[in-house]
Amino acid sequence: MPERPTEMLTDTWTPLIILWITVLPSIYMAPMNQSQVLPSGSSTGLKRLNEEQRVLHRSKRGWVWNQMFVLEEFSGPEPILVGRLHTDLDPGSSKIKYILSGDGAGTIFVINDKTGDIHAMKRLDREEKAEYTLTAQAVDRDTNQPLEPPSEFIIKVQDINDNAPEFVEGPYHATVPEMSVVGTFVTKVTATDADDPVYGNSAKLVYSILEGQPYFSIEPHTAIIKTALPNMDREAKEEYFVVIQAKDMGGHMGGLSGTTTVTITLSDVNDNPPKFAQSLYHFSVMEDVALGEPIGRVKANDLDIGENAKSSYDIIEGDGMDVFEITTDAQTQDGIIRVRKPLDFETKKSYTLKVEAANIHLDPRFLSGGPFKDTATVKIVVEDADEPPVFSSPTYLLEVHENAALNSVLGQVTAHDPDVSSSPIRFSIDRHTDLERQFNINAEDGKITLATPLDRETSTWHNITIVATETRNHSQVSRVPVAIKVLDVNDNAPEFASEHEAFLCENGKPGQVIQIVSAVDKDDPKNGHYFLYSLLPEMVNNPNFTIKKNEDNTLSILAKHSAFSRQKQEVYLLPIVISDSGTPPMSSTGTLTIRVCGCSSDGTVQSCNAEAYVLPIGLSMGALIAILACIILLLVIVVLFVTLRRHKNEPLIIKDDEDVRENIIRYDDEGGGEEDTEAFDIATLQNPDGINGFLPRKDIKPDLQFMPRQGLAPVPNGVDVDEFINVRLHEADNDPTAPPYDSIQIYGYEGKGSAAGSLSSLESSTSDSDQNFDYLSEWGPRFKRLGELYSVGESDKET
């Protein structure tokens, strides 16, 4: 223990007073450039060593016993002394050895094992690591036995102001409405300082504006940016560039600072009315312009943008409010003037309109500044155009009786040229609408006349088109439809609606209605049809039948007696005269055929033919149908039988897949001549029908009949082929019913690639008499026999 208590007390309180004055936020602070002593043992305390190596004992309220401090970023020629470890067991005989372990022990912090002095070997950065936890222990130097239990303590790195503030989120962009009042919130910025916010003022920031005054201000401690000037106009200046500074040390001298930029944009509000670029607009338009066609544009400029610049246009005054209309172009915000009604230069040559443009979206805060609208005058001049003729009516309806005389006038159309020059008009009929050329028109005055007779019953309406053309300009053409209605006259006599045939029962009663007939008339009277029925004058006292007119304009035929018999008279003819009520009245005579029939007891007609009496008694209609069905079945059986016999009698024809010619076509090897008997079976060349001699031809029907030739006896399989072919050739040459080809054609094709080619005479361009077969002998011994055969044929023909 020290022996100077008074000096010790003074040295203990002096650092505490200095710490209280200089560092208010701190709880403790070690004097700079001074070492610290950390005693060990239960009776030891923290000792501090000044520059004169004075040992200070801590008081009960002084230093925390297990902490040391080192200043960050400290550098010097020698390692900095952080503190000293000391134990009461150390008698000073150098038998005590101090050992240091923990964070940075041996690398950053080194201890003198004899004195217990701890030195920092490197520059420390608090922002990297703020404190280090170490463990100290005193052991016997000779035995390495611990003299005391290990003691843990902390070395804290004291902060210095070595980091400037930074705006991590910068640069900033903000928006504030134009014309805002002073103090309107714009945005808030934030800067960070890596220094210790607890120790000293190294991290205490103060904000200020370097650029951007006097338009904006910033709260020094909250960094909230606000407007500083009222009524800032976007149309005057839209964007502001503000520089913000953040300074530590509470903004005092010597503090570090950082800056950022804030781009502040004034957003638009509707504080400007639309304004026409000119107060008077002039437009000209042709009188024949199409409806809806634009004739001009007006423009009201608005200094605002977006929705605040949108305007609507209206015609509020003028002599053409119903003739013109104005709409807004959504893309350009122009006012488009269009034609609503047809223009006529001859009627009105100019128009004056008053057009208004007004904002659509209004801001109530600025309504007091005046109306957000503007007006302009528009003068429109109508120019003359060569117009087509104009008819006096858009359509015409004419009526004519169907018996009108040819060349009679049906009606008249009129048209005129609306232009000042008033060109003469020529009329014509569009013949595509009058293909039958039933009408004509006078080219000068437009009178329509009849060219061919009319018939209402054929066509009631005729629709034609009249064309009016200017004589001075044939391109100016107008058309008008003309409907011609054909009126009815009584020119058709009534007639029966259909061919009536009545049936009368033999056992009928007098006064019985035999038939009800009706009449039709192709004419169409205004009051409807009314027909009169009568018998011919010579048939008025008909003893068999009488007639009765019904209320529905029909006629009933009645029988006068019941003594009708098919044997006596089977058919009666009753002429009836039908007259209409037209002017003049028309009539025709129709004959009703009445057949006498046999009927059942209930009046059902069974038979109307006199031949029915010769049929067997009791033979009904069902029996007749059964008999007819049997006859049809027998006919079908006969037809099937004849068909089968025809197929059976057909000649034996070798199928295609068994045809010898097919075998010969596939036989592409040179034969062995007469000695070759294995190429094919000679029996296949023999016709079984040839055994009896005469070979009938089934492919044609001979015109002449010849006696059958005496056939040859059956030839054995080993017959000579040459003899067989000669016999068949001779028969074919002497048969006038044979087709114009010989039997040799069947074997005449020797396949593809043969040097001899085809031996058939079908496609030969020369006749048999013109052919010379001597060259066959020159082909070798295999064709010698074939040449002799053809030579024999030639000799036979000559004989």
Side-chain angles (χ1 to χ4, degrees), residues 261-297:
T261 59
V262 181
T263 302
I264 302 176
T265 303
L266 298 183
S267 60
D268 185 58
V269 297
N270 191 10
D271 58 339
N272 294 281
K275 185 70 175 178
F276 281 103
Q278 56 193 70
S279 59
L280 181 62
Y281 293 85
H282 292 275
F283 299 106
S284 61
V285 59
M286 300 296 294
E287 62 174 333
D288 58 351
V289 65
L291 297 182
E293 194 72 17
I295 64 173
R297 290 172 174 256

Side-chain angles (χ1 to χ4, degrees), residues 49-55:
L49 190 65
N50 58 12
E51 296 177 355
E52 289 79 17
Q53 299 295 321
R54 292 179 298 177
V55 179

